[in-house]
Amino acid sequence: MAAKTLTIDGKEVSAAEGATILEAASDAGITLPTLCHLEGVYDVGACRMCLVEIAGTPKLLPACTTQVSEGMNVTTTSERLQQYRKMILELLFAERNHVCAVCVANGHCELQTLAYRQGMDHVRYDYCFPKWDVDITHPLYGMDHNRCILCTRCVRVCWHIEGAGTKNVAGRGAKAQIITDLFQPWGESDTCTNCGKCVMSCPTGALFYRGATVGEMERDRSKLEFIVTAREKKQWIP
Amino acid sequence: MDTLRVATVWLGGCSGCHMSFLDLDEFLLELAQKVELVFSPIVDVKEYPENVDLVLIEGAVCNEDHLEMVHKIRRRTKAIVAFGDCAVTGNVTAIRNQLGRGNAASVLQRAYLECADLNPQIPKEPGIVPPLLERVMPVHEVVHVDYYLPGCPPPADRIKALLEQVLAGAEPKLAGKDIKFG
Ligand code: SF4
Ligand code: SF4
Ligand code: FES
């Protein structure tokens, strides 16, 4: 594969053709804030946290779904990008009900961590306070729609790592939600294999192991990494 | 420099933020020499005074007394700090907003009628028990807030960090883990 040469934050880097800006940046030791990106499953560009500036393009583009090209000049940190990232986080908090103090993921939540890293000390928009349910029909896991940011990580691991295809997205806009099968209670799903990969993948407190209480929901991603390594290296390396 | 006139106020919160304030331990002694605590749940002053330099407001705006109080505070205070998650986000106190219109009536019914073992009745004493607002609001939804001190409760060292910046005459600015919710 041909290599492409580009500039990221003033640094000359080279990346394989077809690589994303996110991959090229990470190889060059530049970390970008991400939420919907999960190592091992394909990217969808759902959260827009990884937006970057590309010289000559007026639009901001997500680093996780934009491929590198020859001579590209990328900026990953600027006042404008900071503002947008903070705004996106505030909108995520305003859209559903995030009460960190009583959340299973408190202290282990990627949304919460990003919020303080990006300097979000309050939310400027009015909270929507929508009414959402918690599905605890599954014997092992629960789904709290109040905490879901619709990153679709759970859907992607369910379809493309487990191959079960249980998790899906239904509805549009503010009414969009994660469903199981054809909108059944999770506990009644015929396709769910009880593997728990969706729970491992979730960045927030939306998917949890039943029995976990406030702040207890620590995720073990090693199982996902194990499978991803096996797929990429064709070897089972624990 | 004149002594800083500081107040702390307890609105719709569990008093945990004030407990955390008391957790400042020996820093309280230092603070007592540098500021004048002009109004607080731990000071016996009934009326919120004029010319307050800095106030820490714990709790969300949940009832009519709170609403009146925050407006009074804004008129009489130079800088407002939203103190703790309830003041900053509404937090647990605002969960009732999810029940939509009529949530005030349904939470009262649940708490004082359905869950009561003895004498089920909704407390009602005009002029004494303030009516609940239809919607719980974080402080900045009602009046302008100058600084934010999140946390449920904000740990004592976080409160100290902010107060030290104020005492040093700087614009308080917390960052990183010091602005973590929850
Ligand atoms: S999911 Fe994360 S941000 Fe949302 S309430 Fe839980 S800890 Fe807070
Ligand atoms: S449940 Fe979790 S993983 Fe699935 S879309 Fe919501 S936040 Fe993302
Ligand atoms: S990580 Fe790139 S859009 Fe979510």
Side-chain angles (χ1 to χ4, degrees):
Chain A
M1 243 190 288
K4 302 277 174 195
T5 325
L6 65 156
T7 315
I8 306 181
D9 293 344
K11 203 167 162 179
E12 289 266 327
V13 304
S14 74
E17 184 174 4
T20 63
I21 296 176
L22 185 66
E23 285 162 347
S26 128
D27 286 346
I30 299 165
T31 341
L32 273 162
T34 57
L35 261 181
C36 65
H37 169 77
L38 180 69
E39 219 50 59
V41 280
Y42 66 92
D43 285 297
V44 289
C47 74
R48 315 314 263 187
M49 278 308 299
C50 67
L51 287 177
V52 292
E53 290 172 358
I54 295 168
T57 314
K59 281 199 292 187
L60 300 174
L61 290 169
C64 67
T65 53
T66 308
Q67 291 184 359
V68 295
S69 64
E70 189 59 38
M72 206 178 218
N73 187 357
V74 182
T75 307
T76 70
T77 328
S78 70
E79 184 64 26
R80 175 166 167 237
L81 289 169
Q82 295 302 101
Q83 288 308 321
Y84 276 113
R85 288 180 186 143
K86 205 158 121 190
M87 190 193 291
I88 292 164
L89 287 162
E90 288 173 64
L91 290 168
L92 287 173
F93 274 86
E95 190 172 31
R96 300 254 170 145
N97 302 303
H98 291 274
V99 191
C100 298
V102 292
C103 179
V104 286
N106 188 11
H108 316 288
C109 172
E110 290 178 39
L111 177 64
Q112 185 187 46
T113 308
L114 266 185
Y116 70 69
R117 291 216 178 122
Q118 299 295 318
M120 190 195 96
D121 61 3
H122 73 292
V123 171
R124 288 166 292 174
Y125 311 104
D126 284 356
Y127 289 94
C128 297
F129 294 112
K131 180 101 182 68
W132 283 103
D133 289 331
V134 180
D135 182 346
I136 45 163
T137 55
H138 193 283
L140 301 173
Y141 319 118
M143 164 84 203
D144 184 350
H145 293 279
N146 292 288
R147 314 287 198 241
C148 176
I149 56 168
L150 295 166
C151 67
T152 70
R153 279 190 193 184
C154 54
V155 176
R156 285 174 284 148
V157 293
C158 184
W159 283 80
H160 297 277
I161 295 195
E162 179 60 8
T166 307
K167 296 271 172 203
N168 286 294
V169 185
R172 287 185 174 268
K175 292 213 167 70
Q177 69 166 302
I178 298 299
I179 59 166
T180 39
D181 290 341
L182 298 169
F183 217 151
Q184 275 126 317
W186 196 354
E188 289 169 21
S189 168
D190 292 330
T191 58
C192 176
T193 61
N194 304 334
C195 75
K197 292 191 183 68
C198 54
V199 183
M200 295 169 210
S201 74
C202 181
T204 72
L207 286 166
F208 55 91
Y209 301 111
R210 291 190 57 173
T213 172
V214 176
E216 283 185 1
M217 240 319 291
E218 285 186 68
R219 311 207 180 251
D220 177 12
R221 295 242 162 85
S222 57
K223 198 164 166 188
L224 290 179
E225 282 159 20
F226 176 65
I227 297 167
V228 169
T229 315
R231 179 180 286 177
E232 285 169 358
K233 303 222 163 89
K234 311 279 180 238
Q235 275 179 61
W236 296 105
I237 308 168
Chain B
M1 191 179 90
D2 289 342
T3 326
L4 213 60
R5 288 167 56 81
V6 173
T8 76
V9 175
W10 177 11
L11 303 180
C14 69
S15 97
C17 299
H18 274 85
M19 294 297 146
S20 207
F21 184 81
L22 294 178
D23 254 356
L24 284 168
D25 300 336
E26 62 267 43
F27 182 71
L28 286 172
L29 300 175
E30 202 181 307
L31 200 61
Q33 316 216 304
K34 295 190 178 153
V35 308
E36 188 187 349
L37 193 59
V38 292
F39 183 88
S40 170
I42 53 167
V43 170
D44 191 16
V45 175
K46 302 280 181 266
E47 174 70 11
Y48 190 87
E50 301 277 353
N51 301 317
V52 177
D53 292 307
L54 183 86
V55 64
L56 302 182
I57 302 183
E58 166 186 340
V61 180
C62 304
N63 65 37
E64 285 179 8
D65 277 8
H66 296 158
L67 196 58
E68 202 185 305
M69 186 67 176
V70 281
H71 284 296
K72 185 185 281 179
I73 293 171
R74 187 66 277 182
R75 286 194 300 275
R76 300 182 175 181
T77 318
K78 285 205 196 82
I80 292 182
V81 179
F83 178 30
D85 280 0
C86 293
V88 178
T89 74
N91 203 26
V92 174
T93 51
I95 289 176
R96 73 170 161 97
N97 291 358
Q98 295 168 31
L99 302 174
R101 287 178 145 274
N103 69 70
S106 42
V107 291
L108 287 174
Q109 165 161 340
R110 178 81 187 139
Y112 290 99
L113 301 179
E114 291 165 22
C115 293
D117 296 326
L118 296 169
N119 299 329
Q121 60 173 322
I122 290 175
K124 210 191 238 158
E125 204 55 62
I128 297 177
V129 179
L132 295 183
L133 298 174
E134 271 307 310
R135 175 187 153 94
V136 176
M137 293 172 286
V139 177
H140 70 270
E141 205 177 312
V142 185
V143 292
H144 172 72
V145 165
D146 302 271
Y147 310 110
Y148 296 86
L149 178 50
C152 183
D157 51 5
R158 197 180 288 184
I159 305 173
K160 187 173 168 199
L162 183 126
L163 290 175
E164 278 178 337
Q165 293 175 355
V166 174
L167 290 175
E171 179 95 342
K173 181 88 194 119
L174 297 177
K177 274 208 145 173
D178 273 344
I179 52 169
K180 176 185 160 292
F181 292 140

